Amino acid sequence: MSKGVKSMENNKGKQTTLFKNLESIPFTYGTVIFNKEKFVSYLEKINSQNNVSALKNKIIYLKEIISSPRSDREAILNIDPNGDTISLRRDILISELNQILEAKTLERAKYYLRRLENGVKKVKTSKINDINLLRWKEYDEIITDSLWILDKRDTSGAHLALYWGNFIPQIPHQMMLRYTKKGDWVLDTFVGSGTTLIECKRLGRNGIGIELNPEVVQKAKRLIEREYNKYKVTTEIITGDSRTIDMKKTLESLGINQVQLLIMHPPYHDIIKFSKDNKDLSNARDTKDFLKMFGEVIDNATPFLEKGRYFVLVIGDKYSKGEWIPLGFYCMQEVLKRGYLLKSIIVKNFEETRGKRNQKELWRYRALVGGFYIFKHEYVMLFKKK
Ligand SMILES: C[S@@+](CC[C@H](N)C(=O)[O-])C[C@H]1O[C@@H](n2cnc3c(N)ncnc32)[C@H](O)[C@@H]1O
């Protein structure tokens, strides 16, 4: 998102509204940039009209200057380098202006106008993210459905997709946009190749990743280093066992005592063996042992997640000896046992793994013979700390 947008400071060292807003608007949509003061006063002027056709004429003028900036006699589009500027998504603005034009009464037209005015003048966010609810229509990048069919992995920048068993960057990306604010801290207890920390750097969140395998840590560090640190955040990756690592000391060494988002993407038991280490969850003796180990990680991390904040669990089910093992739901129970509130279960498509792609036919044959279905999904489960 917002590729190519440079963070810029004005000469008082304060970020201008222009660039704050641009960060929420992908350029591909096309944006209109206004001189905020002039735009607001023009909207106020429209709102003072007591005649619906006079009001609509002023809206038509606004539409005109958007399509042909040269006709901007009131200099609403003139950007004052030291002033406040606002950028709005063109398609949404046009549809809002059309809505005003289609209003049957002056009262209705003013209602739509006030809504537009509020979205320009004010910012309304919740405690857990930076989404401006007064301009929610501009965030169609954010998924709110529980079924995710993502057809392509984001392989841009440092996201190389080389680590066997990593998750697609869109998962931490979506979760951070909805459940964190800029400057918040994210803890990933199974950080692997560092996907979460790369996204942290992109979105301006601080991140701590814990990973058992020192070789994986070294590779992840190199990858994370490649990502430009636009927001000057801290991303720290630590070698350790997430069940037993001294979380308090780890956080204190970074000057914090809590995190605002917890992400866990554990091994799906023994589907992929990540190492030979018996502390590795992929080497758990059986499902019961796996769940015990997973529970220990939850217990170790939970005290350090801020109350009212979110815990994201990414997990899939598995087959064993002809039987579907609902590992995802077993893990969900482990979390719920610890007093979390279940907020959502997202079902996400599973991209074809390299191995399976080549053996597609064979798997289909096996499925037909064995009476089972081929895994095409995994879960992104969301819990809130009470
Ligand atoms: C499914 S992968 C996570 C991949 C990660 N989301 C990514 O995008 O690269 C699980 C990771 O957990 C690590 N792991 C297993 N047991 C662990 C433990 N006890 N403590 C910390 N990490 C562990 C494995 O080495 C593996 O890298």
Side-chain angles (χ1 to χ4, degrees), residues 220-301:
K221 276 188 177 166
R222 284 197 291 276
L223 272 183
I224 297 160
E225 199 55 38
R226 286 168 53 142
E227 187 69 33
Y228 173 51
N229 194 2
K230 176 173 153 186
Y231 300 100
K232 311 277 174 277
V233 291
T234 304
T235 47
E236 194 68 36
I237 177 160
I238 296 153
T239 312
D241 179 349
S242 285
R243 298 172 307 159
T244 53
I245 193 167
D246 188 337
M247 216 54 100
K248 186 166 186 278
K249 218 162 119 192
T250 307
L251 265 54
E252 276 173 3
S253 71
L254 294 162
I256 54 164
N257 51 30
Q258 280 193 317
V259 298
Q260 286 70 43
L261 181 69
L262 179 57
I263 298 185
M264 290 195 196
H265 182 212
Y268 302 175
H269 189 191
D270 50 2
I271 295 276
I272 298 174
K273 291 272 188 192
F274 286 95
S275 68
K276 293 206 162 90
D277 193 328
N278 60 13
K279 298 191 280 303
D280 185 330
L281 269 69
S282 68
N283 293 319
R285 285 187 306 276
D286 49 31
T287 307
K288 199 170 157 219
D289 190 34
F290 171 81
L291 294 173
K292 182 173 165 285
M293 291 172 89
F294 176 59
E296 286 163 359
V297 180
I298 311 173
D299 287 335
N300 199 23

Coordinates of all heavy atoms in Angstrom, one line a residue, residues 220-301:
A220 N 16.5 -14.7 8.6 CA 15.5 -13.7 8.8 C 16.1 -12.4 9.0 O 15.6 -11.4 8.5 CB 14.6 -14.2 10.0
K221 N 17.1 -12.3 9.9 CA 17.7 -11.0 10.1 C 18.2 -10.3 8.8 O 18.0 -9.1 8.6 CB 18.9 -11.2 11.1 CG 18.5 -11.2 12.5 CD 19.7 -11.2 13.4 CE 19.3 -11.2 14.9 NZ 20.3 -11.5 15.8
R222 N 18.8 -11.1 8.0 CA 19.3 -10.6 6.7 C 18.1 -10.0 5.9 O 18.2 -9.0 5.2 CB 20.1 -11.6 5.9 CG 21.5 -11.8 6.5 CD 22.4 -12.5 5.5 NE 22.1 -13.9 5.3 CZ 22.4 -14.9 6.1 NH1 23.2 -14.6 7.2 NH2 22.1 -16.1 5.9
L223 N 17.0 -10.8 5.8 CA 15.8 -10.4 5.1 C 15.3 -9.1 5.6 O 15.0 -8.2 4.8 CB 14.8 -11.5 5.1 CG 14.8 -12.6 4.1 CD1 13.6 -13.5 4.4 CD2 14.7 -12.1 2.7
I224 N 15.1 -9.1 6.9 CA 14.4 -7.9 7.5 C 15.3 -6.7 7.3 O 14.8 -5.6 7.0 CB 14.2 -8.1 9.0 CG1 13.3 -9.3 9.2 CG2 13.7 -6.9 9.8 CD1 13.3 -10.0 10.6
E225 N 16.6 -6.9 7.3 CA 17.5 -5.8 7.1 C 17.3 -5.1 5.7 O 17.5 -4.0 5.5 CB 19.0 -6.4 7.2 CG 20.1 -5.4 7.4 CD 19.9 -4.5 8.6 OE1 19.3 -4.9 9.7 OE2 20.2 -3.3 8.5
R226 N 16.9 -6.0 4.7 CA 16.7 -5.5 3.3 C 15.6 -4.5 3.2 O 15.5 -3.8 2.2 CB 16.5 -6.7 2.4 CG 17.7 -7.5 2.1 CD 17.3 -8.8 1.4 NE 16.4 -8.5 0.3 CZ 16.5 -9.2 -0.8 NH1 17.4 -10.2 -1.0 NH2 15.7 -9.0 -1.8
E227 N 14.6 -4.6 4.1 CA 13.4 -3.8 4.0 C 13.7 -2.4 4.6 O 14.2 -2.2 5.7 CB 12.3 -4.5 4.8 CG 10.9 -3.8 4.6 CD 10.3 -3.9 3.3 OE1 10.6 -5.0 2.6 OE2 9.7 -3.0 2.8
Y228 N 13.4 -1.4 3.8 CA 13.6 0.0 4.1 C 12.8 0.4 5.4 O 11.6 0.1 5.5 CB 13.2 0.9 2.9 CG 13.2 2.4 3.2 CD1 14.3 3.0 3.8 CD2 12.1 3.2 2.9 CE1 14.4 4.3 4.0 CE2 12.1 4.5 3.2 CZ 13.3 5.1 3.7 OH 13.3 6.4 4.0
N229 N 13.5 1.0 6.3 CA 12.8 1.3 7.6 C 12.2 2.7 7.6 O 12.7 3.7 8.2 CB 13.8 1.1 8.8 CG 13.1 1.1 10.1 OD1 11.9 1.2 10.2 ND2 13.9 1.0 11.2
K230 N 11.2 2.9 6.8 CA 10.6 4.2 6.5 C 10.2 5.0 7.8 O 10.3 6.2 7.9 CB 9.5 4.0 5.5 CG 8.7 5.2 5.2 CD 7.7 4.8 4.1 CE 6.5 5.6 4.2 NZ 5.4 5.2 3.2
Y231 N 9.6 4.2 8.7 CA 9.0 4.8 9.9 C 9.9 4.8 11.1 O 9.5 5.1 12.2 CB 7.7 4.2 10.2 CG 6.7 4.3 9.1 CD1 6.4 3.3 8.3 CD2 6.0 5.5 9.0 CE1 5.5 3.4 7.3 CE2 5.0 5.6 7.9 CZ 4.8 4.6 7.1 OH 3.9 4.7 6.1
K232 N 11.2 4.3 10.9 CA 12.2 4.2 12.0 C 11.6 3.4 13.2 O 11.7 3.9 14.3 CB 12.6 5.6 12.5 CG 13.0 6.6 11.3 CD 14.4 6.4 10.9 CE 14.8 7.2 9.7 NZ 14.5 6.6 8.4
V233 N 11.1 2.3 12.9 CA 10.6 1.4 13.9 C 11.7 0.5 14.4 O 12.7 0.3 13.8 CB 9.3 0.6 13.5 CG1 8.1 1.5 13.3 CG2 9.6 -0.2 12.3
T234 N 11.4 -0.2 15.5 CA 12.4 -1.2 16.0 C 11.8 -2.6 15.7 O 10.6 -2.9 15.9 CB 12.4 -1.1 17.6 OG1 12.8 0.2 17.9 CG2 13.4 -2.1 18.2
T235 N 12.7 -3.4 15.1 CA 12.3 -4.8 14.8 C 13.4 -5.7 15.4 O 14.5 -5.6 14.9 CB 12.1 -5.1 13.3 OG1 13.2 -4.6 12.6 CG2 10.8 -4.5 12.8
E236 N 13.0 -6.5 16.3 CA 14.0 -7.3 17.0 C 13.7 -8.8 16.8 O 12.5 -9.2 17.1 CB 14.0 -6.9 18.5 CG 15.2 -7.3 19.3 CD 16.5 -6.7 18.9 OE1 16.5 -5.5 18.5 OE2 17.5 -7.3 19.0
I237 N 14.7 -9.6 16.4 CA 14.4 -11.0 16.3 C 15.3 -11.7 17.3 O 16.5 -11.5 17.4 CB 14.5 -11.5 14.9 CG1 14.3 -13.0 14.8 CG2 15.7 -11.1 14.2 CD1 13.9 -13.5 13.4
I238 N 14.7 -12.6 18.1 CA 15.4 -13.2 19.2 C 15.4 -14.7 19.1 O 14.3 -15.3 18.8 CB 14.8 -12.8 20.6 CG1 15.0 -11.2 20.7 CG2 15.4 -13.5 21.7 CD1 14.0 -10.6 21.6
T239 N 16.6 -15.4 19.3 CA 16.6 -16.8 19.2 C 16.1 -17.4 20.6 O 16.6 -16.9 21.6 CB 18.0 -17.3 19.0 OG1 18.6 -16.6 17.9 CG2 18.1 -18.8 18.7
G240 N 15.2 -18.3 20.6 CA 14.7 -18.8 21.9 C 13.5 -19.7 21.7 O 12.9 -19.8 20.6
D241 N 13.2 -20.4 22.8 CA 12.0 -21.2 22.8 C 10.9 -20.4 23.4 O 10.9 -19.9 24.5 CB 12.3 -22.4 23.8 CG 11.2 -23.4 23.9 OD1 10.0 -23.1 23.5 OD2 11.4 -24.5 24.5
S242 N 9.8 -20.2 22.6 CA 8.7 -19.3 23.0 C 8.0 -19.8 24.2 O 7.2 -19.1 24.8 CB 7.8 -19.1 21.9 OG 8.4 -18.3 20.9
R243 N 8.2 -21.1 24.6 CA 7.5 -21.6 25.8 C 8.1 -21.1 27.1 O 7.5 -21.0 28.1 CB 7.5 -23.2 25.8 CG 6.8 -23.8 24.6 CD 7.1 -25.3 24.6 NE 8.5 -25.6 24.6 CZ 9.0 -26.7 25.0 NH1 8.2 -27.7 25.4 NH2 10.3 -26.9 25.0
T244 N 9.5 -20.9 27.0 CA 10.2 -20.7 28.2 C 11.0 -19.4 28.2 O 11.5 -19.0 29.3 CB 11.2 -21.8 28.5 OG1 12.0 -22.0 27.3 CG2 10.5 -23.2 28.8
I245 N 11.1 -18.7 27.1 CA 11.9 -17.5 27.1 C 11.4 -16.5 28.1 O 10.2 -16.4 28.3 CB 11.9 -16.9 25.6 CG1 13.0 -15.8 25.5 CG2 10.5 -16.3 25.3 CD1 13.2 -15.4 24.1
D246 N 12.3 -15.8 28.7 CA 11.9 -14.8 29.7 C 11.3 -13.6 29.0 O 12.0 -12.7 28.6 CB 13.1 -14.4 30.6 CG 12.7 -13.5 31.8 OD1 11.6 -12.9 31.7 OD2 13.4 -13.5 32.8
M247 N 10.0 -13.6 28.9 CA 9.3 -12.6 28.1 C 9.4 -11.2 28.7 O 9.6 -10.2 28.0 CB 7.8 -13.0 28.0 CG 7.1 -12.7 26.7 SD 7.9 -13.4 25.2 CE 6.9 -14.8 24.9
K248 N 9.3 -11.2 30.0 CA 9.4 -9.9 30.7 C 10.7 -9.2 30.4 O 10.7 -8.0 30.0 CB 9.2 -10.2 32.2 CG 9.1 -8.9 33.1 CD 8.6 -9.3 34.5 CE 8.3 -8.1 35.3 NZ 9.5 -7.6 36.0
K249 N 11.8 -10.0 30.6 CA 13.1 -9.5 30.4 C 13.3 -9.0 28.9 O 13.9 -8.0 28.6 CB 14.2 -10.6 30.7 CG 15.4 -10.0 31.4 CD 16.1 -11.1 32.1 CE 17.5 -11.2 31.5 NZ 18.2 -12.4 31.9
T250 N 12.8 -9.9 28.0 CA 12.9 -9.6 26.6 C 12.2 -8.2 26.2 O 12.8 -7.4 25.6 CB 12.2 -10.7 25.7 OG1 12.8 -11.9 26.1 CG2 12.4 -10.5 24.3
L251 N 11.0 -8.1 26.8 CA 10.3 -6.8 26.5 C 11.0 -5.6 27.2 O 11.1 -4.5 26.6 CB 8.8 -6.9 27.0 CG 7.8 -7.3 25.9 CD1 8.2 -8.6 25.2 CD2 6.4 -7.5 26.5
E252 N 11.4 -5.9 28.4 CA 12.1 -4.8 29.1 C 13.3 -4.3 28.4 O 13.7 -3.1 28.4 CB 12.4 -5.2 30.6 CG 11.2 -5.0 31.5 CD 11.4 -5.6 32.9 OE1 12.5 -6.1 33.2 OE2 10.4 -5.5 33.6
S253 N 14.0 -5.3 27.8 CA 15.3 -4.9 27.1 C 14.9 -3.9 25.9 O 15.8 -3.2 25.4 CB 16.0 -6.1 26.6 OG 15.3 -6.7 25.5
L254 N 13.7 -3.9 25.5 CA 13.3 -3.0 24.4 C 12.5 -1.8 24.9 O 11.9 -1.0 24.2 CB 12.4 -3.8 23.4 CG 13.1 -4.9 22.7 CD1 12.1 -5.9 22.1 CD2 14.0 -4.3 21.6
G255 N 12.5 -1.7 26.3 CA 11.9 -0.5 26.9 C 10.4 -0.6 27.0 O 9.7 0.4 27.1
I256 N 9.8 -1.8 26.9 CA 8.3 -1.9 27.0 C 7.9 -3.0 28.0 O 8.8 -3.8 28.4 CB 7.6 -2.2 25.6 CG1 8.3 -3.5 25.0 CG2 7.7 -1.1 24.7 CD1 7.5 -4.1 23.9
N257 N 6.7 -3.0 28.4 CA 6.2 -4.1 29.2 C 5.0 -4.8 28.7 O 4.5 -5.8 29.3 CB 6.0 -3.7 30.7 CG 5.2 -2.5 30.8 OD1 4.3 -2.3 29.9 ND2 5.4 -1.6 31.8
Q258 N 4.5 -4.4 27.5 CA 3.3 -5.0 26.9 C 3.4 -4.8 25.4 O 4.1 -3.9 24.9 CB 2.1 -4.3 27.4 CG 1.6 -4.8 28.8 CD 0.2 -4.4 29.1 OE1 -0.2 -3.2 28.8 NE2 -0.6 -5.3 29.6
V259 N 2.7 -5.7 24.7 CA 2.5 -5.6 23.3 C 1.1 -5.3 22.9 O 0.2 -5.7 23.7 CB 3.1 -6.8 22.5 CG1 4.6 -6.9 22.8 CG2 2.3 -8.1 22.8
Q260 N 0.8 -4.9 21.7 CA -0.6 -4.5 21.4 C -1.2 -5.6 20.4 O -2.4 -5.6 20.1 CB -0.7 -3.1 20.8 CG -0.6 -2.0 21.8 CD 0.8 -1.9 22.4 OE1 1.8 -1.9 21.7 NE2 0.9 -1.7 23.7
L261 N -0.3 -6.4 19.8 CA -0.8 -7.5 19.0 C 0.1 -8.7 19.1 O 1.3 -8.6 19.2 CB -0.9 -7.1 17.5 CG -1.4 -8.1 16.5 CD1 -2.9 -8.3 16.7 CD2 -1.1 -7.7 15.0
L262 N -0.6 -9.9 19.3 CA 0.1 -11.1 19.4 C -0.2 -12.0 18.2 O -1.3 -12.2 17.8 CB -0.3 -11.8 20.7 CG 0.3 -13.1 21.1 CD1 1.8 -13.1 21.2 CD2 -0.4 -13.6 22.4
I263 N 0.9 -12.4 17.5 CA 0.7 -13.3 16.3 C 1.3 -14.6 16.5 O 2.5 -14.7 17.0 CB 1.2 -12.6 15.0 CG1 0.5 -11.3 14.7 CG2 1.1 -13.6 13.8 CD1 0.9 -10.6 13.4
M264 N 0.6 -15.7 16.3 CA 1.2 -17.0 16.4 C 0.9 -17.8 15.1 O -0.3 -18.0 14.8 CB 0.7 -17.8 17.6 CG 1.2 -17.2 18.9 SD 0.9 -18.4 20.3 CE 1.1 -17.2 21.7
H265 N 2.0 -18.3 14.5 CA 1.8 -19.2 13.4 C 2.7 -20.4 13.6 O 3.8 -20.5 13.1 CB 2.3 -18.4 12.1 CG 2.2 -19.2 10.8 ND1 3.1 -19.1 9.8 CD2 1.3 -20.2 10.5 CE1 2.7 -19.9 8.8 NE2 1.6 -20.6 9.2
P266 N 2.2 -21.3 14.5 CA 3.0 -22.4 14.9 C 3.1 -23.5 13.8 O 2.4 -23.4 12.8 CB 2.2 -23.0 16.1 CG 0.8 -22.6 15.8 CD 0.9 -21.3 15.1
P267 N 4.0 -24.4 13.9 CA 4.0 -25.5 13.0 C 2.7 -26.2 13.1 O 2.0 -26.2 14.1 CB 5.1 -26.5 13.5 CG 6.0 -25.6 14.4 CD 5.1 -24.6 14.9
Y268 N 2.2 -26.7 11.9 CA 0.9 -27.5 12.0 C 1.3 -28.9 12.4 O 1.2 -29.8 11.6 CB 0.2 -27.5 10.6 CG -0.1 -26.0 10.1 CD1 -0.7 -25.9 8.8 CD2 0.1 -24.9 10.9 CE1 -1.0 -24.6 8.4 CE2 -0.1 -23.6 10.4 CZ -0.7 -23.5 9.1 OH -0.9 -22.2 8.7
H269 N 1.7 -29.0 13.6 CA 2.3 -30.2 14.2 C 3.4 -30.7 13.3 O 4.3 -30.0 13.0 CB 1.2 -31.3 14.5 CG 1.8 -32.4 15.3 ND1 1.1 -33.6 15.5 CD2 3.0 -32.6 15.9 CE1 1.8 -34.4 16.3 NE2 3.0 -33.8 16.5
D270 N 3.3 -32.0 12.8 CA 4.4 -32.5 12.0 C 4.3 -32.5 10.5 O 5.0 -33.1 9.8 CB 4.6 -34.0 12.5 CG 3.3 -34.8 12.4 OD1 2.2 -34.2 12.0 OD2 3.3 -36.0 12.8
I271 N 3.4 -31.6 10.0 CA 3.2 -31.5 8.6 C 4.5 -31.1 7.9 O 4.9 -31.6 6.9 CB 2.1 -30.4 8.3 CG1 0.8 -30.8 8.8 CG2 2.1 -30.0 6.8 CD1 0.0 -31.7 7.9
I272 N 5.2 -30.1 8.5 CA 6.6 -29.8 8.1 C 7.4 -29.9 9.3 O 7.1 -29.3 10.3 CB 6.6 -28.3 7.5 CG1 5.7 -28.1 6.3 CG2 8.1 -27.9 7.2 CD1 5.6 -26.7 5.8
K273 N 8.5 -30.6 9.2 CA 9.5 -30.7 10.3 C 10.5 -29.6 10.2 O 11.2 -29.5 9.2 CB 10.2 -32.1 10.2 CG 9.3 -33.3 10.6 CD 9.3 -33.5 12.1 CE 8.6 -34.8 12.4 NZ 8.4 -34.9 13.9
F274 N 10.4 -28.7 11.1 CA 11.3 -27.5 11.0 C 12.7 -27.7 11.5 O 13.6 -27.0 11.1 CB 10.7 -26.3 11.7 CG 9.5 -25.7 11.0 CD1 8.2 -26.1 11.3 CD2 9.7 -24.9 9.9 CE1 7.1 -25.6 10.6 CE2 8.6 -24.4 9.2 CZ 7.3 -24.7 9.5
S275 N 12.9 -28.7 12.4 CA 14.3 -29.0 12.8 C 14.2 -30.4 13.5 O 13.2 -31.1 13.5 CB 14.7 -28.0 13.9 OG 13.9 -28.1 15.0
K276 N 15.4 -30.7 14.2 CA 15.4 -32.0 14.9 C 15.3 -31.7 16.4 O 15.3 -32.6 17.2 CB 16.7 -32.7 14.6 CG 16.8 -33.2 13.2 CD 17.7 -34.4 13.1 CE 17.5 -35.2 11.8 NZ 18.3 -34.7 10.7
D277 N 15.2 -30.4 16.8 CA 15.2 -30.0 18.1 C 13.9 -30.5 18.8 O 12.8 -30.2 18.3 CB 15.3 -28.4 18.1 CG 15.6 -27.9 19.5 OD1 15.2 -28.5 20.5 OD2 16.2 -26.8 19.5
N278 N 14.0 -31.1 20.0 CA 12.8 -31.6 20.6 C 12.0 -30.4 21.3 O 10.9 -30.6 21.8 CB 13.0 -32.7 21.6 CG 14.0 -32.4 22.7 OD1 14.2 -31.2 22.9 ND2 14.5 -33.3 23.4
K279 N 12.5 -29.2 21.3 CA 11.8 -28.1 21.8 C 10.9 -27.5 20.7 O 10.0 -26.6 20.9 CB 12.7 -27.0 22.3 CG 13.6 -27.4 23.5 CD 14.3 -26.3 24.1 CE 15.6 -25.8 23.4 NZ 16.6 -26.8 23.2
D280 N 11.1 -28.0 19.5 CA 10.4 -27.5 18.3 C 9.0 -28.2 18.3 O 8.9 -29.4 18.4 CB 11.2 -27.9 17.0 CG 10.6 -27.5 15.7 OD1 9.4 -27.3 15.6 OD2 11.4 -27.3 14.8
L281 N 7.9 -27.4 18.2 CA 6.6 -27.9 18.2 C 6.3 -29.0 17.1 O 5.4 -29.8 17.2 CB 5.5 -26.8 18.1 CG 5.1 -26.2 19.5 CD1 6.2 -25.5 20.2 CD2 3.8 -25.3 19.3
S282 N 7.1 -28.9 16.0 CA 6.9 -29.8 14.9 C 7.4 -31.2 15.3 O 7.2 -32.2 14.6 CB 7.5 -29.3 13.6 OG 8.9 -29.3 13.7
N283 N 8.1 -31.3 16.4 CA 8.6 -32.6 16.9 C 7.8 -33.2 18.0 O 8.3 -34.1 18.7 CB 10.1 -32.5 17.2 CG 10.9 -32.2 16.0 OD1 10.7 -32.8 14.9 ND2 11.9 -31.4 16.1
A284 N 6.7 -32.6 18.3 CA 5.8 -33.1 19.4 C 5.5 -34.5 19.1 O 5.3 -34.9 18.0 CB 4.6 -32.2 19.5
R285 N 5.5 -35.3 20.2 CA 5.3 -36.8 20.0 C 3.9 -37.1 19.4 O 3.8 -38.0 18.5 CB 5.3 -37.5 21.4 CG 6.7 -37.6 21.9 CD 6.7 -38.5 23.2 NE 5.7 -38.0 24.2 CZ 6.0 -37.0 25.0 NH1 7.2 -36.5 25.0 NH2 5.1 -36.6 25.9
D286 N 2.9 -36.4 19.8 CA 1.5 -36.7 19.3 C 0.7 -35.4 19.4 O 1.2 -34.4 19.9 CB 0.9 -37.9 20.0 CG 1.0 -37.7 21.5 OD1 1.0 -36.5 22.0 OD2 1.1 -38.7 22.2
T287 N -0.5 -35.5 19.0 CA -1.4 -34.3 19.0 C -1.5 -33.7 20.5 O -1.4 -32.5 20.7 CB -2.8 -34.6 18.5 OG1 -2.7 -35.2 17.2 CG2 -3.7 -33.4 18.4
K288 N -1.6 -34.6 21.4 CA -1.7 -34.2 22.8 C -0.5 -33.4 23.3 O -0.6 -32.3 23.9 CB -1.9 -35.4 23.7 CG -2.5 -35.1 25.0 CD -2.9 -36.4 25.7 CE -3.0 -36.1 27.2 NZ -2.4 -37.2 28.0
D289 N 0.6 -33.9 22.9 CA 1.9 -33.3 23.3 C 2.0 -31.9 22.6 O 2.5 -30.9 23.1 CB 3.1 -34.2 22.9 CG 4.4 -33.8 23.4 OD1 4.4 -33.2 24.6 OD2 5.4 -34.0 22.7
F290 N 1.6 -31.9 21.3 CA 1.7 -30.7 20.5 C 0.8 -29.6 21.2 O 1.2 -28.4 21.4 CB 1.2 -30.9 19.1 CG 1.0 -29.6 18.3 CD1 2.1 -29.0 17.7 CD2 -0.3 -29.0 18.2 CE1 1.9 -27.8 17.0 CE2 -0.4 -27.8 17.5 CZ 0.7 -27.2 16.9
L291 N -0.4 -30.0 21.6 CA -1.3 -29.0 22.2 C -0.8 -28.5 23.6 O -0.9 -27.3 23.9 CB -2.7 -29.6 22.4 CG -3.4 -29.9 21.0 CD1 -4.7 -30.6 21.3 CD2 -3.7 -28.6 20.3
K292 N -0.1 -29.4 24.3 CA 0.5 -29.0 25.5 C 1.6 -28.0 25.3 O 1.6 -26.9 25.9 CB 1.1 -30.3 26.2 CG 1.7 -30.0 27.6 CD 2.1 -31.3 28.3 CE 3.0 -31.1 29.4 NZ 4.4 -30.7 29.0
M293 N 2.5 -28.2 24.3 CA 3.5 -27.3 24.0 C 3.0 -25.9 23.5 O 3.4 -24.9 23.9 CB 4.5 -27.9 22.9 CG 5.3 -29.1 23.4 SD 6.1 -29.9 22.0 CE 7.7 -29.0 22.0
F294 N 1.9 -26.0 22.7 CA 1.3 -24.8 22.2 C 0.7 -24.0 23.3 O 0.9 -22.8 23.4 CB 0.2 -25.2 21.1 CG -0.5 -24.0 20.6 CD1 0.1 -22.9 20.0 CD2 -1.9 -23.9 20.8 CE1 -0.6 -21.8 19.5 CE2 -2.6 -22.8 20.3 CZ -1.9 -21.7 19.7
G295 N 0.1 -24.7 24.2 CA -0.5 -24.1 25.4 C 0.6 -23.3 26.3 O 0.3 -22.3 26.8
E296 N 1.7 -23.9 26.3 CA 2.8 -23.3 27.1 C 3.3 -22.0 26.5 O 3.6 -21.0 27.2 CB 4.0 -24.3 27.2 CG 3.7 -25.4 28.2 CD 4.7 -26.6 28.0 OE1 5.6 -26.6 27.2 OE2 4.5 -27.6 28.8
V297 N 3.2 -21.9 25.1 CA 3.6 -20.7 24.5 C 2.5 -19.6 24.8 O 2.8 -18.5 25.1 CB 3.7 -20.9 22.9 CG1 4.1 -19.6 22.2 CG2 4.8 -22.0 22.6
I298 N 1.2 -20.0 24.7 CA 0.2 -19.1 25.0 C 0.4 -18.5 26.4 O 0.3 -17.3 26.7 CB -1.2 -19.7 24.9 CG1 -1.4 -20.4 23.6 CG2 -2.3 -18.6 25.0 CD1 -2.7 -21.2 23.5
D299 N 0.6 -19.4 27.4 CA 0.8 -19.0 28.8 C 1.9 -18.1 29.0 O 1.9 -17.1 29.8 CB 1.0 -20.3 29.7 CG -0.3 -21.1 29.8 OD1 -1.4 -20.5 29.7 OD2 -0.2 -22.3 30.1
N300 N 3.0 -18.3 28.2 CA 4.2 -17.5 28.3 C 4.0 -16.1 27.8 O 4.5 -15.1 28.3 CB 5.4 -18.2 27.7 CG 6.7 -17.6 28.2 OD1 6.8 -17.1 29.3 ND2 7.7 -17.8 27.3
A301 N 3.1 -16.0 26.7 CA 3.0 -14.7 26.0 C 1.8 -13.9 26.6 O 1.8 -12.6 26.6 CB 2.8 -14.9 24.5

